[in-house]
Amino acid sequence: MTKYNQPLGGNEMPRFAGHATLFRLPTQPTAEGLDIALVGVPLDIGTSNRGGSRFGPREIRCESVMVRPYGMYTRAAPFDSFQIADIGDVPVNTFNLAQSIDIIEKFYDGVLACGAKTVSMGGDHTVALPILRALAKVHGSVALVHVDAHADINDTMFGEKVCHGTIFRRAVEEELVDPKKMFQIGLRTTGYSAEDFDWSRDRGARVVPAEECWHKSLTPLMAEIRQAIGPDTPVYLSFDIDGLDPSVAPGTGTPEPGGLTSIQGIEIIRGCWGLNLVGADLVEVSPPYDTTGNTSLLAANLIFEMLCAFPGCKRREND
Ligand code: MN
Ligand code: MN
């Protein structure tokens, strides 16, 4: 028997039953003793169009019951490699976005003080900003792999400096993210001006529009990104589910056609193996628009792939 927490097996308790934690792992009230803490951030008041991502963590937990402990192709074994538990949700104030941002940052300060890394379920993309603020206090500015249909670099939206469409501008301004090691993958469709994505480019970030991803494997792109970031730089992976095409991930607030395939999403996350990944999030899943549950199911599997991408995860390559 391993010393690590194990997901409750489908032969011990039917998959549709038992406690609805992420991957059927044990839950605990703090991150003490954990290598990786799984955290829900049920906040959707930073959203500019459809809401509903407040229900994301709960639904992703529900759909995660189908995720088993081993990656069949990579042979990755995150639950034999790390102590992982679901530590529940951040108690956001759903009536106050600014206060919620502070609550989230303090929550992550506490998790990081335990020495745990975090994998977070949104919530809308605003939640990445307070997470990055907490991370920067530990690591300084981090490299960023950002999957999204949108750049999220508006200066303001409706006059607000912090909401789901402004966070990476704030993160660069506050030096939470090094723009020279920032990669935005999957950006597309329409903007307010044809130069909308150039703010990132002008600061040295690499923008990879969805069109440059169409019809091909993203494995070579990820090799380039690993080369550019290097093995030691702390990296944060922020995965907005709307980076994927609405045909595979319809349950989201601001869907855009022409997006990445689920396969490309998996290639991006697997391509983070070899980086010094220090945290990751999966955001913008909105269950009310996810009539089949497939978006949450995909999200759960992508989060499993994130666990497999952390340095030290045992797998075929280092058996
Ligand atoms: Mn986003
Ligand atoms: Mn987006």
Side-chain angles (χ1 to χ4, degrees), residues 45-69:
I45 55 174
T47 310
S48 55
N49 190 30
R50 304 166 174 176
S53 59
R54 66 179 61 185
F55 302 113
R58 185 155 289 194
E59 282 305 310
I60 295 168
R61 286 185 177 106
C62 282
E63 295 295 340
S64 77
V65 298
M66 279 297 294
V67 178
R68 303 174 192 85

Side-chain angles (χ1 to χ4, degrees), residues 31-287:
E32 212 176 320
L34 298 182
D35 300 308
I36 300 172
L38 305 173
V39 185
V41 194
L43 174 121
D44 67 359
I45 55 174
T47 310
S48 55
N49 190 30
R50 304 166 174 176
S53 59
R54 66 179 61 185
F55 302 113
R58 185 155 289 194
E59 282 305 310
I60 295 168
R61 286 185 177 106
C62 282
E63 295 295 340
S64 77
V65 298
M66 279 297 294
V67 178
R68 303 174 192 85
Y70 297 95
M72 293 310 293
Y73 183 75
T74 60
R75 301 196 187 211
F79 307 111
D80 292 344
S81 310
F82 308 116
Q83 184 67 314
I84 309 172
D86 182 342
I87 64 166
D89 294 328
V90 181
V92 298
N93 177 352
T94 199
F95 305 110
N96 189 320
L97 179 58
Q99 193 190 21
S100 292
I101 296 302
D102 288 338
I103 292 169
I104 297 165
E105 183 180 344
K106 287 191 180 74
F107 187 99
Y108 279 80
D109 286 341
V111 172
L112 297 175
C114 293
K117 294 176 180 177
T118 60
V119 176
S120 309
M121 299 174 276
D124 72 56
H125 218 153
T126 320
V127 307
L129 181 63
I131 295 170
L132 286 166
R133 283 175 175 163
L135 271 178
K137 282 177 255 180
V138 176
H139 297 289
S141 66
V142 296
L144 179 73
V145 177
H146 170 210
V147 182
D148 207 321
H150 314 96
D152 295 349
I153 52 167
N154 292 292
D155 186 19
T156 60
M157 294 180 82
F158 230 79
E160 295 295 327
K161 295 288 261 187
V162 174
C163 66
H164 78 158
T166 67
I167 46 169
F168 293 116
R169 189 155 178 148
R170 296 290 92 76
V172 169
E173 287 172 351
E174 296 177 25
E175 300 183 354
L176 315 176
V177 166
D178 175 0
K180 294 188 168 53
K181 293 192 171 184
M182 174 170 165
F183 299 84
Q184 299 187 287
I185 307 168
L187 313 193
R188 60 187 186 268
T189 63
T190 49
Y192 291 106
S193 80
E195 290 76 38
D196 272 4
F197 300 152
D198 292 346
W199 188 91
S200 295
R201 292 185 175 109
D202 291 346
R203 276 146 194 85
R206 170 128 181 236
V207 172
V208 185
E211 285 82 348
E212 290 180 16
C213 303
W214 286 354
H215 315 299
K216 62 186 181 195
S217 167
L218 298 188
T219 300
L221 170 70
M222 293 311 296
E224 278 178 52
I225 289 175
R226 286 195 303 277
Q227 179 82 21
I229 293 177
D232 301 320
T233 306
V235 183
Y236 189 75
L237 169 62
S238 192
F239 199 116
D240 183 332
I241 198 74
D242 72 30
L244 305 186
D245 192 73
S247 60
V248 293
T252 194
T254 41
E256 309 280 359
L260 308 184
T261 65
S262 60
I263 294 168
Q264 289 173 317
I266 291 167
E267 287 176 328
I268 291 169
I269 300 172
R270 288 186 184 169
C272 290
W273 167 250
L275 291 169
N276 180 20
L277 193 63
V278 296
D281 65 52
L282 192 296
V283 297
E284 298 281 357
V285 171
S286 178

